[in-house]
Coordinates of all heavy atoms in Angstrom, one line a residue:
Q1 N 90.0 112.8 123.9 CA 89.1 113.8 123.5 C 88.6 114.5 124.7 O 87.6 115.2 124.5 CB 87.9 113.1 122.7 CG 88.4 112.6 121.4 CD 87.2 112.0 120.6 OE1 86.1 111.8 121.1 NE2 87.5 111.6 119.4
G2 N 89.2 114.3 125.8 CA 88.8 115.1 127.0 C 87.6 114.5 127.8 O 87.1 115.1 128.7
H3 N 87.2 113.3 127.5 CA 86.2 112.6 128.2 C 86.7 112.0 129.5 O 87.8 111.5 129.5 CB 85.5 111.5 127.4 CG 84.9 112.0 126.1 ND1 83.7 112.7 126.1 CD2 85.3 111.9 124.8 CE1 83.4 113.0 124.9 NE2 84.4 112.6 124.1
D4 N 85.9 112.0 130.5 CA 86.2 111.2 131.7 C 85.9 109.8 131.5 O 84.9 109.4 130.9 CB 85.4 111.7 133.0 CG 85.9 113.1 133.5 OD1 87.0 113.4 133.2 OD2 85.0 113.7 134.1
V5 N 86.8 108.9 131.9 CA 86.6 107.4 131.7 C 86.7 106.8 133.1 O 87.7 107.0 133.8 CB 87.7 106.8 130.8 CG1 87.5 105.3 130.7 CG2 87.6 107.4 129.4
W6 N 85.6 106.2 133.5 CA 85.6 105.5 134.8 C 85.6 104.0 134.6 O 85.2 103.5 133.6 CB 84.2 105.8 135.5 CG 84.0 107.3 135.8 CD1 83.6 108.2 134.9 CD2 84.2 108.0 137.0 NE1 83.5 109.4 135.5 CE2 83.9 109.3 136.8 CE3 84.6 107.5 138.2 CZ2 84.0 110.2 137.8 CZ3 84.7 108.5 139.2 CH2 84.4 109.8 139.0
A7 N 86.1 103.3 135.6 CA 86.2 101.8 135.5 C 85.9 101.3 136.9 O 86.3 101.7 137.9 CB 87.5 101.3 135.1
L8 N 85.0 100.2 136.9 CA 84.7 99.6 138.2 C 85.6 98.4 138.3 O 85.8 97.6 137.4 CB 83.2 99.1 138.1 CG 82.7 98.3 139.3 CD1 82.5 99.3 140.5 CD2 81.3 97.7 138.9
T9 N 86.1 98.2 139.5 CA 87.0 97.1 139.8 C 86.8 96.7 141.3 O 86.4 97.4 142.1 CB 88.5 97.5 139.7 OG1 89.3 96.3 139.9 CG2 88.9 98.6 140.6
R10 N 87.0 95.4 141.5 CA 86.8 94.9 142.9 C 88.0 95.1 143.7 O 87.9 95.1 145.0 CB 86.5 93.4 142.8 CG 85.1 93.1 142.3 CD 84.9 91.6 142.2 NE 85.9 90.9 141.4 CZ 86.3 89.7 141.5 NH1 85.7 88.9 142.4 NH2 87.2 89.2 140.7
S11 N 89.2 95.3 143.1 CA 90.4 95.3 143.9 C 91.1 96.7 144.1 O 91.1 97.5 143.1 CB 91.5 94.3 143.3 OG 92.2 94.9 142.3
A12 N 91.6 96.9 145.3 CA 92.3 98.2 145.5 C 93.5 98.3 144.6 O 93.9 99.4 144.2 CB 92.6 98.3 147.0
E13 N 94.2 97.2 144.4 CA 95.4 97.2 143.6 C 95.1 97.6 142.2 O 95.8 98.4 141.6 CB 96.1 95.8 143.7 CG 96.6 95.4 145.0 CD 95.5 94.8 145.9 OE1 94.5 94.4 145.4 OE2 95.8 94.8 147.2
R14 N 94.0 97.0 141.6 CA 93.6 97.3 140.3 C 93.2 98.8 140.2 O 93.4 99.5 139.2 CB 92.5 96.4 139.8 CG 92.0 96.6 138.4 CD 93.0 96.3 137.3 NE 93.6 95.1 137.4 CZ 93.3 94.0 136.7 NH1 92.3 94.1 135.8 NH2 93.9 92.9 136.9
A15 N 92.5 99.3 141.2 CA 92.1 100.7 141.3 C 93.3 101.6 141.2 O 93.2 102.6 140.4 CB 91.3 100.9 142.5
Q16 N 94.3 101.3 141.9 CA 95.6 102.1 141.8 C 96.2 102.1 140.4 O 96.6 103.1 139.9 CB 96.6 101.6 142.8 CG 97.9 102.4 142.9 CD 97.6 103.8 143.3 OE1 96.8 104.1 144.2 NE2 98.4 104.7 142.7
L17 N 96.2 100.9 139.8 CA 96.7 100.8 138.4 C 95.9 101.6 137.4 O 96.4 102.3 136.5 CB 96.8 99.4 138.0 CG 97.9 98.5 138.7 CD1 97.7 97.0 138.3 CD2 99.3 99.0 138.4
L18 N 94.6 101.5 137.6 CA 93.7 102.3 136.7 C 94.0 103.8 136.9 O 94.0 104.5 135.9 CB 92.2 102.0 137.0 CG 91.8 100.6 136.6 CD1 90.4 100.2 137.2 CD2 91.7 100.5 135.1
S19 N 94.1 104.2 138.1 CA 94.3 105.6 138.4 C 95.6 106.1 137.8 O 95.7 107.2 137.2 CB 94.3 105.8 139.9 OG 94.4 107.2 140.3
E20 N 96.6 105.3 137.9 CA 97.9 105.7 137.3 C 97.9 105.8 135.8 O 98.7 106.4 135.2 CB 99.0 104.6 137.7 CG 99.3 104.7 139.2 CD 100.1 103.5 139.7 OE1 100.5 102.7 138.9 OE2 100.4 103.5 140.9
S21 N 96.9 105.1 135.2 CA 96.7 105.1 133.7 C 95.8 106.3 133.3 O 95.4 106.4 132.1 CB 96.1 103.8 133.3 OG 96.9 102.7 133.5
G22 N 95.3 107.1 134.2 CA 94.4 108.2 133.9 C 92.9 107.8 133.9 O 92.1 108.6 133.5
I23 N 92.6 106.6 134.3 CA 91.2 106.2 134.4 C 90.7 106.4 135.9 O 91.5 106.1 136.8 CB 91.1 104.7 134.0 CG1 91.5 104.5 132.5 CG2 89.7 104.1 134.3 CD1 91.6 103.1 132.1
L24 N 89.5 106.8 136.0 CA 89.0 107.1 137.3 C 88.3 105.8 137.9 O 87.3 105.4 137.4 CB 87.9 108.2 137.2 CG 88.4 109.5 136.6 CD1 87.2 110.4 136.2 CD2 89.4 110.2 137.6
P25 N 89.0 105.2 138.9 CA 88.5 103.9 139.4 C 87.3 104.1 140.4 O 87.2 105.1 141.1 CB 89.7 103.4 140.1 CG 90.4 104.6 140.6 CD 90.2 105.6 139.5
I26 N 86.5 103.1 140.4 CA 85.4 103.0 141.4 C 85.5 101.5 141.9 O 85.5 100.6 141.1 CB 84.0 103.2 140.8 CG1 83.9 104.5 140.1 CG2 82.9 102.9 141.8 CD1 82.6 104.7 139.3
Q27 N 85.7 101.4 143.2 CA 85.8 100.1 143.8 C 84.4 99.5 144.1 O 83.7 100.2 144.8 CB 86.7 100.1 145.0 CG 87.3 98.7 145.3 CD 88.4 98.8 146.3 OE1 89.0 99.8 146.5 NE2 88.7 97.6 146.9
G28 N 84.1 98.4 143.5 CA 82.8 97.8 143.8 C 82.7 96.4 143.1 O 83.7 96.0 142.5
D29 N 81.5 95.8 143.1 CA 81.3 94.5 142.6 C 80.0 94.5 141.9 O 79.0 94.8 142.6 CB 81.4 93.5 143.7 CG 81.4 92.1 143.2 OD1 80.8 91.8 142.1 OD2 81.9 91.2 143.9
V30 N 79.9 94.1 140.7 CA 78.6 94.0 140.0 C 77.6 93.1 140.7 O 76.4 93.2 140.5 CB 78.7 93.6 138.5 CG1 79.5 94.7 137.7 CG2 79.3 92.2 138.3
C31 N 78.1 92.2 141.5 CA 77.2 91.2 142.2 C 76.7 91.8 143.5 O 76.0 91.1 144.2 CB 77.9 89.9 142.4 SG 78.2 89.0 140.8
D32 N 77.2 93.0 143.9 CA 76.9 93.6 145.2 C 76.2 95.0 144.9 O 76.9 96.0 144.7 CB 78.1 93.8 146.0 CG 77.8 94.5 147.4 OD1 76.6 94.7 147.7 OD2 78.8 94.8 148.1
P33 N 74.9 95.1 144.7 CA 74.2 96.3 144.4 C 74.6 97.5 145.3 O 74.7 98.6 144.8 CB 72.7 96.0 144.5 CG 72.6 94.5 144.3 CD 73.9 94.0 144.9
S34 N 74.8 97.3 146.5 CA 75.2 98.4 147.4 C 76.5 99.0 147.1 O 76.8 100.1 147.5 CB 75.1 97.9 148.9 OG 76.2 97.0 149.2
S35 N 77.4 98.3 146.4 CA 78.7 98.8 146.0 C 78.6 99.6 144.7 O 79.6 100.2 144.3 CB 79.7 97.7 145.9 OG 79.5 97.0 144.7
L36 N 77.5 99.7 144.1 CA 77.3 100.4 142.8 C 76.8 101.8 142.9 O 76.5 102.5 141.9 CB 76.5 99.5 141.9 CG 77.0 98.1 141.6 CD1 76.0 97.4 140.7 CD2 78.3 98.1 141.0
T37 N 76.6 102.3 144.2 CA 75.9 103.6 144.4 C 76.8 104.7 143.9 O 76.3 105.8 143.6 CB 75.6 103.8 145.8 OG1 76.8 103.7 146.6 CG2 74.6 102.7 146.3
K38 N 78.1 104.5 143.7 CA 79.0 105.6 143.3 C 79.2 105.6 141.7 O 80.0 106.4 141.2 CB 80.3 105.5 144.0 CG 80.2 105.7 145.4 CD 81.6 105.7 146.1 CE 81.4 106.0 147.6 NZ 82.6 106.0 148.3
L39 N 78.5 104.7 141.0 CA 78.6 104.8 139.6 C 78.1 106.1 139.1 O 77.0 106.6 139.5 CB 77.8 103.7 138.9 CG 78.3 102.2 139.1 CD1 77.3 101.2 138.4 CD2 79.7 102.1 138.5
P40 N 78.8 106.8 138.3 CA 78.5 108.2 137.9 C 77.4 108.2 136.7 O 77.2 107.1 136.0 CB 79.8 108.8 137.3 CG 80.5 107.6 136.8 CD 80.1 106.4 137.7
S41 N 76.8 109.3 136.5 CA 76.0 109.5 135.3 C 76.9 109.4 134.1 O 78.1 109.8 134.2 CB 75.3 110.8 135.4 OG 74.4 110.9 136.5
C42 N 76.4 109.0 133.0 CA 77.3 108.9 131.8 C 76.5 108.9 130.5 O 75.3 108.7 130.5 CB 78.1 107.5 131.9 SG 77.1 106.1 131.9
D43 N 77.2 109.2 129.5 CA 76.7 109.1 128.1 C 76.6 107.7 127.6 O 75.6 107.2 127.1 CB 77.5 110.0 127.1 CG 77.4 111.4 127.5 OD1 76.4 111.9 127.9 OD2 78.5 112.1 127.3
T44 N 77.7 106.9 127.9 CA 77.8 105.6 127.4 C 78.4 104.7 128.5 O 79.4 105.1 129.1 CB 78.7 105.4 126.2 OG1 78.1 106.3 125.2 CG2 78.7 104.0 125.7
L45 N 77.8 103.5 128.8 CA 78.4 102.6 129.7 C 78.7 101.3 129.0 O 77.8 100.8 128.3 CB 77.3 102.3 130.8 CG 77.8 101.4 132.0 CD1 77.1 101.8 133.3 CD2 77.6 100.0 131.7
L46 N 79.9 100.9 129.1 CA 80.3 99.6 128.4 C 80.4 98.5 129.5 O 81.2 98.7 130.4 CB 81.7 99.8 127.7 CG 82.3 98.5 127.2 CD1 81.5 97.9 126.1 CD2 83.7 98.8 126.7
Y47 N 79.6 97.5 129.5 CA 79.6 96.4 130.4 C 80.6 95.4 129.8 O 80.2 94.7 128.9 CB 78.2 95.8 130.7 CG 78.2 94.8 131.8 CD1 78.0 95.3 133.1 CD2 78.4 93.5 131.6 CE1 78.0 94.3 134.2 CE2 78.4 92.6 132.6 CZ 78.2 93.0 133.9 OH 78.1 92.1 134.9
A48 N 81.8 95.3 130.4 CA 82.8 94.3 129.9 C 83.4 93.6 131.1 O 84.5 93.8 131.4 CB 83.8 95.1 129.1
V49 N 82.6 92.8 131.7 CA 83.0 92.1 133.0 C 83.3 90.7 132.6 O 82.5 90.0 132.1 CB 81.9 92.2 134.0 CG1 82.3 91.4 135.3 CG2 81.6 93.6 134.4
G50 N 84.6 90.3 132.8 CA 85.0 89.0 132.6 C 84.6 88.0 133.8 O 84.4 88.5 134.9
F51 N 84.5 86.8 133.5 CA 84.2 85.8 134.5 C 85.4 85.4 135.2 O 86.4 84.8 134.6 CB 83.5 84.6 133.9 CG 83.1 83.6 135.0 CD1 82.2 83.9 136.0 CD2 83.6 82.3 134.9 CE1 81.9 82.9 136.9 CE2 83.3 81.3 135.8 CZ 82.4 81.7 136.8
D52 N 85.5 85.7 136.5 CA 86.7 85.3 137.4 C 86.3 84.1 138.2 O 85.5 84.3 139.2 CB 87.0 86.5 138.2 CG 88.2 86.3 139.2 OD1 88.8 85.2 139.2 OD2 88.5 87.2 139.9
R53 N 86.8 83.0 137.9 CA 86.5 81.8 138.7 C 86.9 81.8 140.1 O 86.3 81.2 141.0 CB 87.2 80.6 138.0 CG 86.7 80.2 136.7 CD 87.4 79.0 136.1 NE 87.2 78.9 134.7 CZ 86.2 78.3 134.1 NH1 85.2 77.9 134.9 NH2 86.1 78.2 132.8
S54 N 87.8 82.7 140.5 CA 88.3 82.8 141.9 C 87.3 83.7 142.7 O 87.5 83.8 143.9 CB 89.7 83.3 142.0 OG 89.8 84.7 141.5
S55 N 86.3 84.3 142.1 CA 85.5 85.2 142.8 C 84.5 84.5 143.7 O 83.9 85.2 144.6 CB 84.7 86.1 141.8 OG 83.7 85.4 141.1
G56 N 84.2 83.3 143.4 CA 83.2 82.5 144.2 C 81.8 82.8 143.7 O 80.8 82.3 144.3
R57 N 81.7 83.4 142.5 CA 80.4 83.7 141.9 C 80.2 82.8 140.7 O 81.1 82.4 140.1 CB 80.3 85.2 141.5 CG 80.5 86.2 142.5 CD 79.4 86.3 143.5 NE 79.6 87.4 144.4 CZ 78.7 87.9 145.1 NH1 77.4 87.3 145.1 NH2 78.9 88.9 146.0
T58 N 78.9 82.5 140.4 CA 78.6 81.7 139.2 C 78.6 82.7 138.0 O 78.5 83.9 138.1 CB 77.2 81.1 139.4 OG1 76.2 82.1 139.3 CG2 77.1 80.2 140.6
Q59 N 78.7 82.1 136.9 CA 78.7 82.8 135.6 C 77.3 83.5 135.5 O 77.3 84.7 135.0 CB 79.0 81.9 134.4 CG 79.2 82.8 133.2 CD 80.0 82.0 132.1 OE1 80.1 80.7 132.2 NE2 80.5 82.6 131.1
Q60 N 76.3 82.9 135.9 CA 74.9 83.5 135.9 C 74.9 84.7 136.8 O 74.3 85.8 136.4 CB 73.8 82.6 136.2 CG 72.5 83.2 136.1 CD 71.3 82.3 136.2 OE1 71.5 81.1 136.0 NE2 70.1 82.8 136.4
E61 N 75.5 84.7 138.0 CA 75.4 85.8 138.9 C 76.1 87.0 138.3 O 75.7 88.1 138.4 CB 76.1 85.5 140.2 CG 75.4 84.5 141.1 CD 76.1 84.1 142.3 OE1 77.2 83.5 142.2 OE2 75.7 84.4 143.4
V62 N 77.3 86.8 137.6 CA 78.0 87.9 137.0 C 77.4 88.3 135.7 O 77.2 89.5 135.5 CB 79.5 87.4 136.7 CG1 80.3 88.4 136.0 CG2 80.2 87.0 138.0
S63 N 77.1 87.4 134.8 CA 76.6 87.8 133.5 C 75.2 88.2 133.4 O 74.8 88.9 132.5 CB 76.9 86.6 132.5 OG 78.3 86.3 132.4
V64 N 74.3 87.7 134.3 CA 72.9 88.0 134.2 C 72.5 89.0 135.4 O 72.1 90.1 135.1 CB 72.0 86.8 134.3 CG1 70.5 87.1 134.3 CG2 72.3 85.8 133.1
Q65 N 72.7 88.6 136.6 CA 72.3 89.4 137.7 C 73.3 90.6 137.8 O 72.8 91.7 138.2 CB 72.4 88.6 139.0 CG 71.8 89.4 140.2 CD 70.3 89.8 139.9 OE1 69.5 89.0 139.5 NE2 70.0 91.1 140.1
G66 N 74.6 90.5 137.5 CA 75.5 91.6 137.5 C 75.0 92.7 136.6 O 75.1 93.9 136.9
V67 N 74.6 92.3 135.3 CA 74.2 93.3 134.4 C 72.9 94.0 134.9 O 72.8 95.2 134.8 CB 73.8 92.6 133.0 CG1 73.1 93.6 132.1 CG2 75.1 92.1 132.3
Q68 N 72.0 93.2 135.5 CA 70.8 93.8 136.0 C 71.1 94.8 137.2 O 70.5 95.9 137.3 CB 69.8 92.7 136.5 CG 68.5 93.3 136.9 CD 67.7 94.0 135.7 OE1 67.5 93.4 134.7 NE2 67.4 95.3 135.9
N69 N 72.0 94.4 138.0 CA 72.4 95.3 139.1 C 73.0 96.6 138.6 O 72.7 97.7 139.1 CB 73.5 94.6 140.0 CG 72.9 93.5 140.8 OD1 71.7 93.3 141.0 ND2 73.8 92.6 141.2
V70 N 73.8 96.6 137.5 CA 74.3 97.8 137.0 C 73.2 98.6 136.3 O 73.2 99.8 136.5 CB 75.5 97.5 135.9 CG1 75.9 98.7 135.2 CG2 76.7 96.9 136.7
I71 N 72.4 98.0 135.6 CA 71.2 98.7 134.9 C 70.4 99.4 136.0 O 70.1 100.6 135.9 CB 70.4 97.7 134.1 CG1 71.1 97.3 132.9 CG2 69.0 98.4 133.8 CD1 70.4 96.1 132.1
D72 N 70.1 98.7 137.1 CA 69.3 99.3 138.2 C 70.0 100.5 138.8 O 69.4 101.5 139.1 CB 69.0 98.2 139.3 CG 68.1 97.1 138.8 OD1 67.4 97.3 137.8 OD2 68.0 96.1 139.5
A73 N 71.4 100.4 138.9 CA 72.2 101.5 139.5 C 72.2 102.7 138.7 O 72.4 103.8 139.2 CB 73.6 101.0 139.8
V74 N 72.1 102.6 137.3 CA 72.3 103.8 136.5 C 71.0 104.2 135.7 O 71.1 105.1 134.9 CB 73.5 103.5 135.4 CG1 74.8 103.3 136.1 CG2 73.2 102.4 134.5
T75 N 69.9 103.5 136.0 CA 68.7 103.8 135.3 C 68.4 105.3 135.5 O 68.4 105.9 136.6 CB 67.5 103.0 135.9 OG1 67.7 101.6 135.5 CG2 66.2 103.4 135.3
G76 N 68.1 106.0 134.3 CA 67.8 107.4 134.3 C 69.1 108.3 134.3 O 69.0 109.5 134.3
R77 N 70.3 107.7 134.4 CA 71.5 108.5 134.5 C 72.5 108.0 133.4 O 73.7 108.4 133.5 CB 72.1 108.3 135.9 CG 71.2 108.8 137.0 CD 71.9 108.7 138.4 NE 72.4 107.4 138.8 CZ 73.7 107.1 138.9 NH1 74.6 107.9 138.6 NH2 74.0 105.8 139.2
C78 N 72.1 107.2 132.5 CA 73.0 106.7 131.5 C 72.3 106.8 130.1 O 71.2 106.3 130.0 CB 73.3 105.2 131.8 SG 74.4 104.4 130.6
G79 N 73.1 107.3 129.1 CA 72.5 107.4 127.8 C 72.3 106.1 127.1 O 71.2 105.9 126.6
R80 N 73.3 105.3 127.1 CA 73.2 104.0 126.4 C 74.1 103.0 127.1 O 75.1 103.3 127.7 CB 73.5 104.1 124.9 CG 74.9 104.4 124.6 CD 75.2 104.4 123.1 NE 76.5 104.9 122.9 CZ 77.2 104.8 121.8 NH1 76.6 104.2 120.8 NH2 78.4 105.2 121.6
L81 N 73.7 101.7 127.0 CA 74.5 100.6 127.6 C 74.9 99.7 126.5 O 74.1 99.3 125.7 CB 73.6 99.9 128.6 CG 74.2 98.6 129.2 CD1 75.4 98.9 130.1 CD2 73.1 97.9 130.1
I82 N 76.2 99.4 126.4 CA 76.7 98.5 125.4 C 77.2 97.3 126.2 O 77.9 97.4 127.2 CB 77.9 99.1 124.7 CG1 77.4 100.4 123.9 CG2 78.5 98.1 123.7 CD1 78.5 101.2 123.3

């Protein structure tokens, strides 16, 4: 429908795959607020972050603090968060 679709990923390799699929990648980590500064303004943000045991992060860090970090990064610039 002509919408821009962005995706946040921690890995450069995944960013390349996303780009090849027509998705605009942003490299960052929901557990690192300083890496979220490039999140764009949006109508809808879908938070669909899976728990990666190899990341060295706890499930609470990803599922609770990660959500809060994203909310903080897009406050006032996002229509709705799903």
Side-chain angles (χ1 to χ4, degrees):
Q1 294 181 353
H3 299 284
D4 288 333
V5 176
W6 298 81
L8 180 69
T9 183
R10 290 179 303 154
S11 84
E13 296 81 19
R14 179 67 53 101
Q16 181 63 37
L17 291 172
L18 290 166
S19 183
E20 291 168 4
S21 299
I23 296 172
L24 303 166
I26 301 169
Q27 199 166 342
D29 186 333
V30 298
C31 293
D32 177 9
S34 67
S35 74
L36 304 176
T37 60
K38 294 184 181 178
L39 290 177
S41 297
C42 61
D43 296 323
T44 303
L45 186 150
L46 172 63
Y47 188 89
V49 177
F51 180 62
D52 177 3
R53 293 179 194 279
S54 69
S55 72
R57 303 290 187 164
T58 67
Q59 193 160 13
Q60 181 168 344
E61 286 175 301
V62 174
S63 300
V64 177
Q65 190 58 49
V67 169
Q68 187 62 57
N69 291 340
V70 170
I71 289 170
D72 292 344
V74 299
T75 294
R77 301 185 301 111
C78 177
R80 68 180 172 162
L81 172 65
I82 298 171

